[in-house]
Amino acid sequence: MSKDRGQWSSRIGFIFAAAGSAIGLGNVWRFPYMAGQNGGAAFVFTYLICVMVIGLPVMLAELSLGRSTTRNPVGAIEAIKGNSLWRGVGILGVVTGVAILSYYAVIAGWTVGYMVSTAIGKELDFNAFVASPGTVIFYQALFMLLTILVVSGGVQGGIERWAKILMPLLLLLLVVLIIRSVTLKGSLAGIEFYLKPDFSKLDFNVVLQALGQAFFSLSLGMGLMITYGSYLSKEDNMVSAGLQVALFDTLIAIMAGFVIFPALFAVGENPAQGPGLVFVVLPKIFKAMPLGNFFGAAFFLLLAVAALTSTISLLEVPVAYFVDEKKWTRTKAVWILGLVTFLVGIPSALSLGASSIFTQINFSLIHQKGLLSIMDFIWGNFSLALGAFLLSIFVGWIWGGSKALAELRAGTGHFTWQGEGWLLIIKFICPIVIAIILLNLFL
Ligand code: PHE
């Protein structure tokens, strides 16, 4: 094994790193705005089903493929199927990693901007903030630089250490914010919007958004869990590790909703306002609490760190590919890919008012406007769902479900009938359900 690869120091190290990848802006920024745009509780409910029925099985499929081959997504597929068309699934994952990271770093940059301004007690107008090109690109560049520095430190030194300390703190602060939010006057309407489903709001589009959100939030469909699984040791219980990551991730998303929606209704904001939602609502919560500037700055700091453990995982996939397959040094791979990703992200950074071309552009198939939202749909929803569809076929049928199952069972005490159930889901339910939902986009 080349020294530029690596292994987790322990199973706990893996859980923190995988949870660190999963937990990020997807939970705190994307989940609330998706739920707000797609009818609230009906979306939340569909999302939870997608996580349990589709997400978790796909996660186990990716982990088993990764550990069995100890490779990046492209190498893993090649190790099983040689130089075939299936390699394309791995390549799609590598490209998707770069594409998601390109705009993810933009939003992560906003959190840093909000952290700074909250700390110094300056109130930001969201629309004015995101429309100033110098500011957004500065913070985007800063965030990419941080990501590059951590990823060049390698798997253990960089990724594990950060995740271990700061994730628990985020959880704690969320609890504080939930208490403040639900005790605001008028918050009850928000809780109702969030928890009382109105299924008449459900259509194929909502289901597609919920499914895409499940993949996005769990970091699935682009081979991230193949890559992280490849650093696991054979003695580890992968099934329980995967389960814990999924539970933890879902918990944080649900908690973030409990922060946003009660407050949102209490201050009379529009739930369907899109990507700016949490940046508009959160400062209002901080304003309504004692030591608001302190809590606000601390929250944006922790959110930035949660985003960082996700951006490093997004960069790690293409880096692992170039290190394993193209024999680049880690440092070279990290800097080149980081720079390319930054450049690709600039148009997204400018698409909330700074440049009218990127702001006005619209994609009528999915009713999205603005380059950042379009990128988020294409890569964060569609490409991940397509990747998960292909990966479940690959693991269930091409590699062979029984080999995957044997890999999952190694290091796992009981995975007997549950394993058979998993096999059924990965071979039939996942491909069929994802295909139906995706095809509907074009009908
Ligand atoms: N899961 C991360 C989040 O919720 C985003 C991500 C997607 C990270 C895909 C890696 C791979 O913020």
Side-chain angles (χ1 to χ4, degrees):
M1 215 188 304
S2 106
K3 74 164 173 34
D4 280 325
R5 267 205 132 252
Q7 201 174 39
W8 307 114
S9 59
S10 66
R11 181 167 154 270
I12 295 297
F14 163 79
I15 290 180
F16 272 104
S21 167
I23 297 166
L25 297 171
N27 309 61
V28 179
W29 159 74
R30 202 177 192 267
F31 173 74
Y33 106 67
M34 288 275 152
Q37 260 180 354
N38 291 289
F43 171 91
V44 176
F45 191 78
T46 315
Y47 168 73
L48 290 175
I49 293 180
C50 289
V51 167
M52 284 183 295
V53 178
I54 312 274
L56 189 60
V58 170
M59 178 178 294
L60 296 182
E62 287 199 25
L63 289 176
S64 66
L65 184 58
R67 186 174 69 176
S68 162
T69 57
T70 57
R71 287 276 173 30
N72 66 86
V74 181
I77 287 170
E78 210 169 62
I80 283 160
K81 202 58 194 137
N83 199 354
S84 66
L85 260 186
W86 282 102
R87 273 180 96 242
V89 183
I91 305 271
L92 178 70
V94 170
V95 173
T96 304
V98 170
I100 293 182
L101 180 55
S102 76
Y103 66 84
Y104 196 101
V106 172
I107 300 141
W110 299 349
T111 64
V112 179
Y114 267 74
M115 176 190 87
V116 173
S117 67
T118 314
I120 60 177
K122 187 170 143 225
E123 222 173 294
L124 284 182
D125 172 48
F126 177 75
N127 290 320
F129 174 75
V130 290
S132 40
T135 318
V136 280
I137 291 180
F138 169 76
Y139 283 117
Q140 176 206 0
L142 183 71
F143 213 90
M144 278 310 302
L145 187 66
L146 278 173
T147 307
I148 288 170
L149 292 177
V150 179
V151 178
S152 52
V155 168
Q156 274 192 28
I159 302 176
E160 268 191 63
R161 208 176 45 205
W162 280 91
K164 263 186 196 162
I165 316 167
L166 291 151
M167 288 293 115
L169 269 181
L170 178 68
L171 195 82
L172 204 72
L173 203 53
L174 277 171
V175 174
V176 174
L177 294 185
I178 289 175
I179 295 172
R180 173 67 279 201
S181 183
V182 298
T183 50
L184 287 171
K185 206 163 147 271
S187 63
L188 208 63
I191 297 179
E192 203 162 288
F193 176 81
Y194 188 45
L195 294 184
K196 204 167 139 208
D198 167 2
F199 288 112
S200 67
K201 290 188 177 146
L202 217 58
D203 59 20
F204 260 106
N205 187 46
V206 174
V207 177
L208 172 62
Q209 303 285 358
L211 181 72
Q213 174 60 21
F215 292 136
F216 187 93
S217 192
L218 294 169
S219 305
L220 298 176
M222 51 163 273
L224 183 275
M225 290 295 166
I226 299 179
T227 309
Y228 273 24
S230 76
Y231 306 129
L232 267 169
S233 108
K234 292 285 178 204
E235 288 88 57
D236 290 326
N237 184 337
M238 261 191 306
V239 176
S240 80
L243 195 65
Q244 285 176 52
V245 170
L247 277 175
F248 209 34
D249 183 66
T250 308
L251 177 73
I252 299 277
I254 296 296
M255 287 173 76
F258 272 112
V259 174
I260 299 299
F261 289 107
L264 184 138
F265 279 77
V267 297
E269 279 283 341
N270 170 16
Q273 60 185 279
L277 182 70
V278 303
F279 291 94
V280 171
V281 175
L282 281 171
K284 303 205 165 160
I285 304 178
F286 303 133
K287 226 177 143 183
M289 66 197 283
L291 297 174
N293 283 351
F294 168 77
F295 281 113
F299 183 78
F300 283 118
L301 172 69
L302 293 174
L303 185 55
V305 172
L308 186 62
T309 53
S310 300
T311 55
I312 55 193
S313 76
L314 284 160
L315 188 56
E316 179 65 22
V317 173
V319 165
Y321 168 69
F322 281 97
V323 168
D324 287 350
E325 310 299 316
K326 305 283 174 211
K327 307 295 172 224
W328 288 11
T329 64
R330 181 168 269 275
T331 315
K332 175 178 165 192
V334 168
W335 281 94
I336 292 182
L337 288 163
L339 192 67
V340 168
T341 308
F342 167 66
L343 295 175
V344 173
I346 289 178
S348 296
L350 301 178
S351 73
L352 282 107
S355 140
S356 60
I357 313 169
F358 300 128
T359 307
Q360 299 299 330
I361 182 172
N362 79 69
F363 188 5
S364 53
L365 179 68
I366 47 157
H367 317 288
Q368 296 282 5
K369 194 163 163 257
L371 188 65
L372 192 143
S373 299
I374 294 173
M375 289 285 282
D376 191 30
F377 178 83
I378 295 177
W379 302 102
N381 259 11
F382 185 78
S383 176
L384 294 181
L386 181 64
F389 166 75
L390 294 168
L391 280 170
S392 52
I393 294 180
F394 184 79
V395 168
W397 297 94
I398 308 293
W399 183 25
S402 52
K403 289 192 198 117
L405 189 53
E407 183 66 40
L408 282 173
R409 281 178 174 152
T412 306
H414 309 276
F415 197 51
T416 48
W417 62 270
Q418 299 93 325
E420 302 298 332
W422 171 80
L423 203 57
L424 221 66
I425 292 179
I426 213 67
K427 287 178 95 152
F428 299 100
I429 310 279
C430 289
I432 295 171
V433 171
I434 302 172
I436 292 174
I437 295 172
L438 282 182
L439 281 177
N440 207 76
L441 191 62
F442 304 100
L443 298 179

